[in-house]
Amino acid sequence: MKLLKNKKQERESSDADHRVIGQQLDLFSINEEVGIGLVLLHPKGTIVRKIIRDFWEQEHLKNGYQLVCTPHIARQELWKISGHLDYYEQNMYLFEKGGEPGVVKPMNCPFHIQIYKTKPRSYKDLPIRYAEWGTVYRYERSGTLHGLLRVRGFTQDDAHVFCTPEQISEEIVKILGFTEHVLKRFGFHEYNIYLSTRDPKQPEKYMGSEENWELAQKVLAETLGKRGIAYSEMLGEAVFYGPKIDVNIVDASGREWQCSTIQFDFNLPKRFNITHIGPDGREHEVLMIHRALLGAVERFFAILIEHYRGNFPVWLAPIQVKVLPISGDNIQYAGKVNEKLLAHGIRSEIDNSPATISHKIREAEVQKIPYMVLCGKREMKLNKISVRKHAVGDVGLLTIKVLVIKIKNERG
Ligand SMILES: [Zn+2]
């Protein structure tokens, strides 16, 4: 009995494994010829990435962020100033070309600071919020790599908020609210919040004075406290430049994942010598918040795949509709239906294979495609389509227009 149960669990867990689903749905691959920890997103994986990104960019623009775009490599000098070469070198890809030492970027922060630095900034301009889907590379030991969950090249949904010390608390509250809004859209409604602080016994791991650390940690704790947000403190889990708040999501299987992070930084602005002009006309300190809502996009994709077990809601599904001609005589009509769906912005695909209709339906079910559209003699005559919904069954005989409206209105 016990053996049976274990076998069942094993099967169930592999059903939910993003690597298994990723292959089954043709979303992505990783191979040794390219290099371990490096992800190849296939067309279907790429379309999901684009949907996530489009939503993310729209929401950022609505919430007062400005989008920026920065290079993948930079001079080593930049990373000396930022302190990454002192605190983070073991994870960085260094190279030399034309006598110039360079780095493949492990983080986007120094670039956003450089954009801030291109002109004097007044207190009236603040807060300034720069956001970027920044692709970074970090060396991780081969034994720690795992599918999309831990990789060496990934894209962070990064943003840096530049603000005055007086604005920091309000900005953190805003980011927490925004995080919740974005994560809810992806079907995550349960979270655990952590405050990661400095370990006073290992001062060599952290940049900056103890006094500034105490102050930063106090601001974060007070902000959470004032809003009545329950959290746990994680001693020694802070990043080298400042303390942070992590929002861990709980997925459909009750597993907890670290995705969103909000990091308070008083160090990098000082190292890059950035300031703002106050109402008194003098230069004052500017503070920085580093934040990512999804974290690493590849990792978030893995979490989404496992959360939904590949049954993406219709707005996220790489293919929303599979058009199935019932016999060879209906291929032309099915082709027209497919073209109309595509023209309405529906992600549609046609199965023109000579297989039987029941086989085509089974195949579309395996591919977890939300809607199937059957096109036969009757449908052709009525200029309609027979609609089936994945894991539900027959929806009925509809016009193309009705199906388009149905798909566009489906939020979940
Ligand atoms: Zn940063």
Side-chain angles (χ1 to χ4, degrees):
M1 270 315 270
K2 205 174 168 215
L3 191 73
L4 262 177
K5 202 179 163 205
N6 283 345
K7 271 211 165 11
K8 191 167 174 267
Q9 275 171 348
E10 208 176 279
R11 188 180 54 79
E12 273 177 2
S13 70
S14 88
D15 274 358
D17 188 324
H18 74 278
R19 294 168 299 180
V20 177
I21 299 170
Q23 194 178 17
Q24 188 189 349
L25 303 189
D26 196 12
L27 299 172
F28 71 91
S29 58
I30 296 172
N31 76 59
E32 286 190 13
E33 212 164 344
V34 171
I36 50 171
L38 301 170
V39 180
L40 301 171
L41 278 185
H42 297 195
K44 285 179 186 162
T46 306
I47 203 82
V48 178
R49 184 184 194 270
K50 180 182 152 42
I51 298 161
I52 299 172
R53 184 171 178 160
D54 287 349
F55 165 74
W56 186 95
E57 288 186 345
Q58 276 166 18
E59 292 306 309
H60 277 71
L61 292 172
K62 279 192 221 162
N63 280 275
Y65 287 78
Q66 294 170 287
L67 303 178
V68 295
C69 207
T70 66
H72 287 229
I73 59 170
R75 294 175 62 206
Q76 270 188 28
E77 190 55 34
L78 184 75
W79 306 97
K80 265 188 203 141
I81 302 170
S82 70
H84 283 86
L85 278 174
D86 292 332
Y87 292 90
Y88 204 67
E89 196 193 332
Q90 73 278 11
N91 293 89
M92 291 162 71
Y93 287 94
L94 308 176
F95 64 92
E96 200 177 296
K97 192 77 186 167
E100 176 72 56
V103 172
V104 182
K105 75 169 163 183
M107 289 183 191
N108 306 298
C109 346
F111 297 96
H112 294 188
I113 294 175
Q114 293 293 337
I115 296 174
Y116 179 92
K117 218 178 166 178
T118 51
K119 56 183 175 188
R121 308 287 181 175
S122 150
Y123 69 97
K124 290 180 199 155
D125 303 326
L126 300 181
I128 288 175
R129 309 179 186 97
Y130 292 144
E132 176 179 15
W133 268 42
T135 302
V136 297
Y137 293 86
R138 297 177 187 173
Y139 175 78
E140 302 282 355
R141 281 178 297 109
S142 57
T144 64
L145 301 173
H146 180 85
L148 296 181
L149 286 171
R150 204 166 174 117
V151 290
R152 287 178 174 167
F154 58 94
T155 301
Q156 273 185 312
D157 71 311
D158 213 355
H160 294 95
V161 177
F162 299 89
C163 64
T164 67
E166 294 75 38
Q167 291 169 328
I168 196 107
S169 191
E170 197 188 326
E171 279 306 302
I172 288 166
V173 170
K174 272 192 185 155
I175 296 170
L176 283 168
F178 188 37
T179 305
E180 202 180 332
H181 166 72
V182 169
L183 294 177
K184 264 192 183 151
R185 185 70 185 106
F186 293 101
F188 300 109
H189 301 275
E190 207 185 313
Y191 320 96
N192 290 320
I193 297 184
Y194 299 92
L195 173 62
S196 296
T197 54
R198 172 183 183 270
D199 179 0
K201 288 188 193 123
Q202 291 184 290
E204 72 286 353
K205 276 174 68 182
Y206 311 96
M207 188 193 267
S209 74
E210 201 176 324
E211 200 189 330
N212 277 332
W213 271 89
E214 287 299 326
L215 205 71
Q217 288 172 185
K218 206 173 135 214
V219 169
L220 292 186
E222 278 179 4
T223 305
L224 290 170
K226 256 191 260 168
R227 293 276 153 174
I229 299 169
Y231 66 92
S232 318
E233 187 175 334
M234 306 289 277
L235 186 77
E237 290 296 313
V239 272
F240 71 83
Y241 45 74
K244 61 171 180 160
I245 295 171
D246 288 329
V247 180
N248 291 13
I249 53 180
V250 180
D251 75 4
S253 312
R255 288 172 307 174
E256 191 171 320
W257 303 93
Q258 199 247 305
C259 289
S260 316
T261 181
I262 305 164
Q263 305 173 352
F264 186 146
D265 187 358
F266 48 87
N267 277 305
L268 285 190
K270 283 199 184 74
R271 292 179 78 104
F272 280 96
N273 198 21
I274 55 167
T275 57
H276 77 276
I277 313 290
D280 58 359
R282 294 177 183 202
E283 283 188 58
H284 294 270
E285 183 183 23
V286 65
L287 295 176
M288 227 177 125
I289 303 167
H290 308 246
R291 51 111 285 203
L293 307 186
L294 313 178
V297 174
E298 288 73 4
R299 182 181 147 79
F300 188 72
F301 190 24
I303 297 167
L304 275 181
I305 295 171
E306 299 202 358
H307 178 61
Y308 288 117
R309 295 191 169 217
N311 296 300
F312 293 113
V314 75
W315 79 282
L316 268 178
I319 300 293
Q320 297 172 308
V321 176
K322 192 90 177 181
V323 179
L324 311 174
I326 291 176
S327 76
D329 298 340
N330 316 120
I331 287 178
Q332 208 185 1
Y333 178 64
K336 275 189 192 150
V337 169
N338 186 44
E339 272 171 29
K340 280 190 188 155
L341 288 167
L342 289 170
H344 278 104
I346 301 295
R347 296 185 292 279
S348 174
E349 216 176 56
I350 187 163
D351 182 350
N352 266 340
S353 69
T356 62
I357 188 68
S358 57
H359 180 88
K360 287 181 186 178
I361 293 173
R362 223 167 25 244
E363 193 54 35
E365 288 280 356
V366 169
Q367 288 296 310
K368 302 174 195 287
I369 295 168
Y371 285 99
M372 282 162 260
V373 158
L374 277 65
C375 300
K377 211 166 146 189
R378 185 171 65 121
E379 288 78 9
M380 207 160 92
K381 208 170 154 197
L382 297 169
N383 199 24
K384 287 191 173 179
I385 46 180
S386 286
V387 179
R388 275 180 75 90
K389 196 171 179 181
H390 171 64
V392 174
D394 276 341
V395 175
L397 202 59
L398 308 179
T399 60
I400 293 177
K401 210 170 164 191
V402 168
L403 178 63
V404 169
I405 294 168
K406 198 172 162 51
I407 289 175
K408 292 201 170 165
N409 287 341
E410 221 172 281
R411 293 277 302 165

